[in-house]
Amino acid sequence: MSRREWWVPYAFLLPAIVGLVIFRVVPTIYAIGRSFYAISFGLNPATVFVGSDNYTALFSDPTFWQSVRVTAVFNLIINPLQTTLALLLALLVSMRLRGIGVFRSIFFIPISISITVASIIWQLMLDPQSGLLNGLIEAVGLPPQSFLTSPNQALPSIILIASWIGVGYWMFFFIAGLNGIPPTLYEAAAMDGASSFASFVHITVPLLRRVIAFVLVADTTANFLLFAPVYILTHGGPQGSTDLLMYEAYNSDFVGLDVGRATAITTVLLASLLVVVGAQLLLLRSSER
Amino acid sequence: MSQESPRQTASTDARQTKPLRRWVRRNGGPIAGKALAYLALTVLSVVTLLPLLWSVASSFTPLNDIYKFAVPFSWHALLPTNVTLQAYQDLWASTYPRALFNTVLVCAVTVVAGILINSLAGFAFAVFNFPGKRVLFILVLITFLVPFEVLALPLFVIINTLHLDNSYQALILPALANGIVVFLFRQFFIDTPRELLEAARIDGLGWFGVYVRIVIPISTPVMVSAGLVLFLSQWQAFFWPLLVTNSPSYQMVQVALSTFSGQYVTKWNDIFAGSIIATIVPLVLLLTLQRYYVRTIARTGLTD
Amino acid sequence: MKLHLKLTHRSRLLRPSCAALALVALALPARLPSAQAAPITITYLNQEQPIPLIQSTVNTFNQTHPNIHVVLQNLPFDQLFPQIEVRLGSGSSSPDVIDVDAPVTAAYAVQGFLTPLDSYFSKADLAQFVPASLSTSYYLGHLLAPPINGSSQLLYYNKDLLKKAGVPFPPNDVSKRLTWEQLVTNAKKAQVQAGKNVTAWGFVIDQIDRPYQLLPLPESLGGQPISKDGLHASGIVNSPAWIKAFTWYSNLFNTWKISPIGATPAQTPNLFSSGHAAYFWGGPWNVGTFQAAKGLHWGVAPTPYFAGGKAVTPNDSWHLGVNRHSAHIAAAAEFVRWLTVGPGNDIFVKGNGQVPSLLREITRINQDSAYATFPSNVLRLTSYEAQHTAIPRPVTPGFNEYQDILTRAFDNIRSGQSSKAALDAAAAQIDRAMAKYARAPH
């Protein structure tokens, strides 16, 4: 790029940055700023600056720390799980097999279902007394499970539902990434006598690393901010076992009339996401060499 | 990797292997592998399809029959005996068709304009070095780390200030620039061979020309992926359309669907019928676009 | 952020746009030469009451009030609440009139969403309301949201299932109510099982985990819903009456197993209408669905009570409020008056078959012979309950949190947590959530 063209990258960036600043950055600054205010309720309510009060209250609230634990466990399990499953599924449906198109199409279906409808369907499937899943479990002679109504099984059930919805979606990006790997590389490796597993490790993974980074980051973000299944199915229960931070934020905002608490939680979420996503990007970048 | 040419290695390898082992490696392995692959595919397909079958069946079932066979679950719930098109007739008579049209329109504009805007930005991040790049990239990252729900109120105020409430613009404008899509494009564009771009520059193309003539034609898979993200962001949008539009002329499909669940009565059959239609449209798109981004490969490393 | 510091209300950012809107509003009549011909337009944010009914009611208003034109905006129930929070919270001048779920009146009041309507209603107007319905319309001494209708609960039963079990039908007679204890005995007999699977539940509760429906249980035993100031729950929601009532509730699911653990309020009416429930404790709004259900033979009886306690039914329902930032408060208040105590209410209540909130409508139902026979006699029963056994939900600015925390506690009890542990935890959570209202300049 010559000196005279210094403006070119900025011109390429301009439309996106303008849109993001108006419709995302400004509201975000507002939301973060809002976390330092509280409402003084009354017929003529006032918003008053309270400094770090919302954060102090948050950090001394046992419900918050319960949510932090639930959110951490949820994300430690679901992100590696979904990313791995999505990659395996992408490889599986990229195989040259008869009828593979049909299978691929089947896995695409959950992508287009709304999360609300998916949650409702799964709730009926997982009903402890009348659901299909317990019917199948009992048919093979095992005791029925409580699923969403048990403090031990509710979070795994939510992970199951979220993965049923999500894996097909993330698979999609891996399929697009696999498209970019020249088939000649595999042919060459095969002639080299490399095993299939070896070509997976030495060709597929390195050449997919940017897509893997994308899926990991995007999936982590989506799951940190996920709350619809919890909102629809468990309301954070039983006994707080599915009380994700984002659900707490939504609840504080629209149920608890406590926008200060909601925006404080969101700011905490944003900070933790920045750390996690930053670490993921650095880690995947250093493994590039 | 080996310094010998691949062809040579392969042939030496073949010569040294006993015929039987060679046959197994060529055929037996693949057969066992294929059987395993089909087994995995079938199991996963059942897991994927079973919940859906129930909702498809329910959409053809009279409202009062839906629970007749679902509690306790019987196979009748998957094969409706008393087939009715009532739910689909309800849909046709409701605001649903209009909402479908609105959503298709909004999606189309968002996908086309969104791909252009975000891919330009992704290209800039992937290819150029310029002052402020790191700061701007972090800014883009932050925009998709914040949940929409807490942005709703300030965003609503902005849209009102611009006098855009109750318009297609209110639905489309905030969705065009999308941080995650910029990031997606950057990840795919970063591997574009520099020689290709330099060669085009020497041929006298401007940077925009390079982008249009060289980059776009080799980027179909990422364009389709980005299109999917943008498409779904609108197709499944609910909270925002609900806030900024309140006339049926601008109603979006998920909002129309939600009108079937009331405080007292939930019309499950209408909900399922509506969601099936809401599922089929993106599905048909996905399937027709398959050939542009799927490439089947002989060896993926999953089976031998 | 400097800007934020100076302004006081939640809607700081919106101020310029409010001004702009006001300018547009001012400019509009000026542009139209025949200003008097153009009526004031007000918008009414409505939760899916039967849409044709509310639309035709509004049409009648528009025809009889040439100066005001009401535009209806319909929203599904679940979406009404976040909509109101964002739109009124942003200080927007639209909508002018909103549907207010009775118990959130105080919450809207302390956020400054609603305009006091005291000056638009005369003493004679107020005397026409059923007292239980009117009580939740006030907060801090102001009339904020008068009711358009009330609500109630009934005990529905499936005649075929009871007959098969040899259980007599409960009488539709308020002097011969079942006790909850009798109901359990009968429900156990009427439950149908095929092996381990339940094919018909003994007893299903409509809003299975919501305070609206469940508060009458502890209240039947003399329990209170919340402290007098509406801000404290410890020692109240975990009092002996509550623990006793919710141990009974827990037993329904965990000991006697006559109620479904996993069901949600959206599913429960379908269980009864499809013949999967012997008894169903639910609202009169289900009558239409049950009448339409093929092969279902059903009857109704009054809500039971605990032996040694008293009969209590829920009552409150939908109210109307005027946006404090509305540009047309007088016109909006006129519409609200017309629809709550004026002729609009008669049109509306006749159409929707809900429990009336006006005494004259209750009198009409008791006198009109059209309500003497099944199933429209259901309205006579619910009208009786509204006047004699109804206790509305508590008045507290934190009703949303109260409801949310209790719903979670009820779910925990359903899935096996002891009622004492669940209610103790809920009481502490409610107190914590209410602390922010103590800042309020009451």
Side-chain angles (χ1 to χ4, degrees), chain A residues 103-244:
Chain A
F103 287 108
R104 194 165 45 226
S105 311
I106 288 173
F107 300 138
F108 281 154
I109 298 177
I111 298 181
S112 36
I113 285 185
S114 88
I115 199 158
T116 317
V117 171
S119 302
I120 293 167
I121 294 174
W122 272 99
Q123 178 184 31
L124 293 160
M125 300 278 297
L126 293 177
D127 188 286
Q129 286 149 329
S130 61
L132 179 61
L133 215 61
N134 261 344
L136 293 175
I137 286 174
E138 285 179 279
V140 295
L142 295 169
Q145 303 299 308
S146 331
F147 301 119
L148 291 165
T149 60
S150 139
N152 299 324
Q153 295 180 5
L155 195 63
S157 304
I158 297 283
I159 290 175
L160 168 81
I161 296 167
S163 301
W164 182 81
I165 300 167
V167 168
Y169 181 67
W170 302 117
M171 168 189 85
F172 192 91
F173 299 96
F174 285 127
I175 291 178
L178 285 172
N179 190 318
I181 301 177
T184 45
L185 284 182
Y186 289 108
E187 284 154 23
M191 289 181 181
D192 252 352
S195 73
S196 248
F197 182 71
S199 46
F200 172 71
V201 172
H202 295 296
I203 300 174
T204 314
V205 171
L207 286 176
L208 270 185
R209 66 179 186 273
R210 294 193 205 284
V211 187
I212 294 174
F214 170 78
V215 170
L216 200 57
V217 165
D219 190 26
T220 304
T221 310
N223 286 322
F224 257 84
L225 305 184
L226 182 83
F227 73 101
V230 170
Y231 173 71
I232 297 164
L233 298 174
T234 63
H235 299 283
Q239 294 165 46
S241 60
T242 58
D243 197 358
L244 295 172

Side-chain angles (χ1 to χ4, degrees), chain B residues 269-300:
Chain B
N269 50 349
D270 291 3
I271 289 183
F272 286 129
S275 14
I276 284 163
I277 293 174
T279 304
I280 285 176
V281 175
L283 194 63
V284 166
L285 268 172
L286 274 176
L287 298 186
T288 45
L289 287 172
Q290 270 200 55
R291 62 195 179 99
Y292 294 107
Y293 63 87
V294 178
R295 173 192 287 157
T296 55
I297 38 190
R299 296 158 58 95
T300 59

Side-chain angles (χ1 to χ4, degrees), chain B residues 63-72 82 152-154 156-158 160-161 163 166 238-239 241-247 255 258-266 268, chain C residues 13-14 17 20-21 47-48 73 75-77 79 82-83 85-87 89-90 92 197-199 201 266-267 269-271 273-274 276 285-286 289 292-294 317-318 354:
Chain B
L63 183 56
N64 275 309
D65 281 8
I66 291 181
Y67 277 81
K68 213 169 245 175
F69 302 114
V71 184
N82 198 353
L153 185 112
F156 179 73
V157 174
I158 291 173
N160 269 341
T161 313
H163 295 294
N166 254 327
F238 173 70
F239 198 73
L242 191 67
L243 278 181
V244 285
T245 64
N246 39 43
S247 104
V255 178
S258 75
T259 59
F260 298 122
S261 63
Q263 186 193 2
Y264 304 128
V265 181
T266 305
W268 290 107
Chain C
L13 273 174
L14 192 72
S17 81
L21 276 177
Q47 71 88 25
E48 50 85 43
Q73 292 173 3
L75 274 182
F77 171 67
Q79 277 84 65
Q83 280 270 321
E85 287 300 325
V86 175
R87 289 173 69 179
S90 74
S92 165
N197 285 326
V198 177
T199 51
W201 292 99
Q267 299 163 351
N270 302 82
L271 287 174
S273 64
S274 60
H276 289 302
W285 47 82
N286 291 301
T289 315
K294 266 186 228 139
S317 183
W318 289 98
Q354 301 282 11

Side-chain angles (χ1 to χ4, degrees), chain B residues 67-226:
Chain B
Y67 277 81
K68 213 169 245 175
F69 302 114
V71 184
F73 199 92
S74 89
W75 294 104
H76 277 290
L78 297 182
L79 294 167
T81 39
N82 198 353
V83 175
T84 170
L85 290 176
Q86 186 58 47
Y88 291 90
Q89 286 160 0
D90 287 354
L91 278 188
W92 184 247
S94 72
T95 53
Y96 195 85
R98 171 75 202 209
L100 211 56
F101 167 81
N102 288 336
T103 314
V104 169
L105 181 76
V106 166
C107 280
V109 178
T110 307
V111 167
V112 173
I115 285 184
L116 181 70
I117 291 173
N118 296 303
S119 66
L120 284 172
F123 183 76
F125 281 124
V127 172
F128 301 125
N129 281 315
F130 53 90
K133 179 173 170 177
R134 188 172 283 248
V135 173
L136 285 174
F137 188 65
I138 291 175
L139 188 86
V140 169
L141 274 183
I142 287 177
T143 60
F144 65 81
L145 303 182
V146 184
F148 181 79
E149 285 71 18
V150 298
L151 304 183
L153 185 112
L155 199 53
F156 179 73
V157 174
I158 291 173
I159 289 293
N160 269 341
T161 313
L162 300 172
H163 295 294
L164 288 175
D165 52 321
N166 254 327
S167 66
Y168 286 121
Q169 291 96 304
L171 295 167
I172 294 169
L173 284 178
L176 290 182
N178 186 321
I180 199 102
V181 178
V182 173
F183 180 52
L184 175 70
F185 275 116
R186 180 225 180 231
Q187 293 299 88
F188 274 79
F189 285 160
I190 214 163
D191 285 329
T192 314
R194 291 303 165 103
E195 314 86 69
L196 203 65
L197 303 178
E198 294 304 328
R201 292 282 294 153
I202 291 164
D203 284 353
L205 277 177
W207 278 109
F208 191 73
V210 169
Y211 169 77
V212 172
R213 301 263 185 87
I214 311 291
V215 178
I216 289 185
I218 59 167
S219 306
T220 320
V222 63
M223 297 273 172
V224 175
S225 309

Side-chain angles (χ1 to χ4, degrees), chain C residues 180-300:
Chain C
W180 286 121
E181 290 82 355
Q182 288 167 330
L183 176 95
V184 167
T185 313
N186 294 346
K188 281 192 223 163
K189 286 186 205 156
Q191 176 142 324
V192 186
Q193 311 232 164
K196 268 194 206 163
N197 285 326
V198 177
T199 51
W201 292 99
F203 177 48
V204 174
I205 300 173
D206 189 350
Q207 302 191 13
I208 197 158
D209 55 3
R210 291 190 188 149
Y212 164 79
Q213 177 129 29
L214 300 178
L215 285 179
L217 295 175
E219 284 166 351
S220 172
L221 291 165
Q224 293 299 311
I226 199 163
S227 65
K228 284 253 161 59
D229 64 2
L231 297 177
H232 300 92
S234 282
I236 297 167
V237 305
N238 51 353
S239 66
W242 275 70
I243 291 171
K244 189 178 169 200
F246 284 97
T247 305
W248 177 85
Y249 172 77
S250 168
N251 288 339
L252 294 176
F253 303 95
N254 298 301
T255 310
W256 308 314
K257 298 186 196 297
I258 52 174
S259 295
I261 285 183
T264 64
Q267 299 163 351
T268 48
N270 302 82
L271 287 174
F272 186 79
S273 64
S274 60
H276 289 302
Y279 292 98
F280 178 75
W281 183 34
W285 47 82
N286 291 301
V287 167
T289 315
F290 296 167
Q291 274 304 92
K294 266 186 228 139
L296 179 74
H297 304 105
W298 58 279
V300 286

Side-chain angles (χ1 to χ4, degrees), chain C residues 361-426:
Chain C
E361 278 296 311
I362 288 192
T363 311
R364 183 182 62 83
I365 285 167
N366 285 330
Q367 287 170 355
D368 189 338
S369 58
Y371 295 92
T373 51
F374 182 83
S376 49
N377 65 352
V378 164
L379 270 179
R380 284 204 178 161
L381 176 54
T382 52
S383 299
Y384 172 88
E385 302 280 42
Q387 283 184 294
H388 297 97
T389 61
I391 299 185
R393 280 169 283 187
V395 174
T396 161
F399 185 80
N400 281 323
E401 299 92 309
Y402 176 86
Q403 170 168 267
D404 179 58
I405 292 166
L406 280 183
T407 301
R408 297 201 219 181
F410 299 156
D411 284 334
N412 289 342
I413 294 171
R414 258 209 295 177
S415 57
Q417 200 184 17
S418 87
S419 56
K420 181 164 187 339
L423 293 173
D424 281 345

Side-chain angles (χ1 to χ4, degrees), chain A residues 26 29-30 32-34 37-49 60-63 120 123-124 127-130 138 142-144 149-151 231-232 234-240 243 247-248 250-251 253-259, chain C residues 1 4-5 7-13 78 81-82 85-86 107-112 116 139-140 142 144 196-198 201 209 253 259-264 267 324 397 400-401 404 407-408 411-412 415-417 429 432 436-437 439-441:
Chain A
V26 169
I29 292 171
Y30 170 90
I32 295 173
R34 184 63 182 75
Y37 289 80
I39 299 175
S40 167
F41 292 99
L43 286 186
N44 290 297
T47 308
V48 286
F49 183 75
S60 64
D61 179 355
T63 318
I120 293 167
Q123 178 184 31
L124 293 160
D127 188 286
Q129 286 149 329
S130 61
E138 285 179 279
L142 295 169
T149 60
S150 139
Y231 173 71
I232 297 164
T234 63
H235 299 283
Q239 294 165 46
D243 197 358
Y247 175 69
E248 271 297 303
Y250 180 86
N251 229 22
D253 203 343
F254 295 108
V255 176
L257 311 185
D258 200 343
V259 186
Chain C
M1 296 313 297
H4 290 205
L5 286 164
L7 300 164
T8 48
H9 189 245
R10 203 178 162 188
S11 59
R12 292 169 305 277
L13 273 174
D78 274 344
F81 303 98
E85 287 300 325
V86 175
Y108 291 171
V110 296
Q111 294 181 89
Y139 192 64
L140 301 180
H142 290 286
L144 293 164
K196 268 194 206 163
N197 285 326
V198 177
W201 292 99
D209 55 3
F253 303 95
S259 295
I261 285 183
T264 64
Q267 299 163 351
R324 200 171 67 133
N400 281 323
E401 299 92 309
D404 179 58
T407 301
R408 297 201 219 181
D411 284 334
N412 289 342
S415 57
Q417 200 184 17
Q429 282 174 35
R432 213 166 24 239
K436 61 180 176 286
Y437 300 108
R439 281 196 300 265

